[in-house]
Amino acid sequence: RSVLPSGAFVLLAFAGTVAGVVCLSMATEEMGDDLASAPREDATELTAAFRIASAEQCAAYVTLYFVDSLFIICFALLVFSLLRIGPLPLRVKLALYSSSVWLHPAFDWAENWVALRSFLQFMVNDRVEPSAAAAYAPLSYTKWTMLAINVVALLVSLILFCRGEVRRCRRGKADHHDNAPATATADVSPTE
């Protein structure tokens, strides 16, 4: 009974993650090369990219980080649900739940806010403040570190699951092989 809701939850989180990836790729294409490739931690280059960007490209920039903030919720729920039904030890799961599983979206949201704040500063002051842009890099590094921890945990969980399934299949074949002669002997009726 508990497997079906978990499976449905995983599918919903996966669907939201896929939809988010599609929307993010579309927004990135709409931004244009200059704005998309401008380093977010460099206030001078980001200001120059904003100045030459069109209104549509700036709107795509804002949309990208807004959609990413929604996408990361679905991705975090997907990671949580996959780890929950996975074969990792309970202590490892609790350690991940209390750290990287929620720290990854938290730092992603903070990174998105810094990127959006840079755009707001440009709209108000016609330039991006260096101190504000400088906060982007440490948040980004921490976010990617938390993501790497989650990915490694998912890979380990997948490996343990596959190993468990292989052992289960081998055990089933061995049990079937051991029971086959006894069954065949039992089916033979004595002749008079």
Side-chain angles (χ1 to χ4, degrees):
R1 180 179 296 178
S2 62
V3 175
L4 290 178
S6 298
F9 193 73
V10 170
L11 288 176
L12 287 174
F14 179 74
T17 301
V18 172
V21 170
V22 172
C23 292
L24 288 174
S25 63
M26 292 173 61
T28 303
E29 290 179 3
E30 290 294 325
M31 268 200 300
D33 294 336
D34 292 331
L35 189 53
S37 62
R40 305 297 186 252
E41 67 276 8
D42 190 324
T44 303
E45 292 193 31
L46 191 56
T47 299
F50 282 141
R51 284 177 178 162
I52 63 175
S54 64
E56 291 79 9
Q57 291 172 334
C58 289
Y61 177 90
V62 174
T63 302
L64 174 73
Y65 290 103
F66 178 75
V67 171
D68 186 55
S69 297
L70 299 178
F71 153 78
I72 200 59
I73 297 175
C74 295
F75 183 75
L77 291 175
L78 178 63
V79 171
F80 172 80
S81 56
L82 288 176
L83 289 175
R84 179 177 174 268
I85 64 177
L88 287 176
L90 181 59
R91 289 181 181 178
V92 176
K93 290 182 180 181
L94 292 177
L96 292 169
Y97 296 158
S98 62
S99 57
S100 61
V101 170
W102 71 269
L103 283 176
H104 172 226
F107 278 98
D108 199 309
W109 287 327
E111 178 192 60
N112 291 343
W113 165 242
V114 169
L116 290 172
R117 186 177 61 177
S118 296
F119 178 72
L120 292 175
Q121 286 180 345
F122 173 77
M123 294 294 293
V124 174
N125 304 323
D126 197 39
R127 67 187 181 92
V128 178
E129 295 292 337
S131 58
Y136 187 90
L139 292 173
S140 182
Y141 294 148
T142 308
K143 176 196 78 172
W144 288 112
T145 302
M146 296 298 107
L147 176 61
I149 293 172
N150 290 337
V151 170
V152 169
L154 288 175
L155 289 176
V156 171
S157 182
L158 177 63
I159 291 171
L160 291 176
F161 174 77
C162 292
R163 286 179 61 185
E165 288 299 309
V166 169
R167 289 176 181 174
R168 189 175 305 161
C169 291
R170 289 178 179 173
R171 191 180 306 121
K173 289 180 180 179
D175 292 342
H176 179 72
H177 183 268
D178 292 340
N179 293 333
T183 304
T185 304
D187 290 341
V188 176
S189 58
T191 57
E192 296 180 357

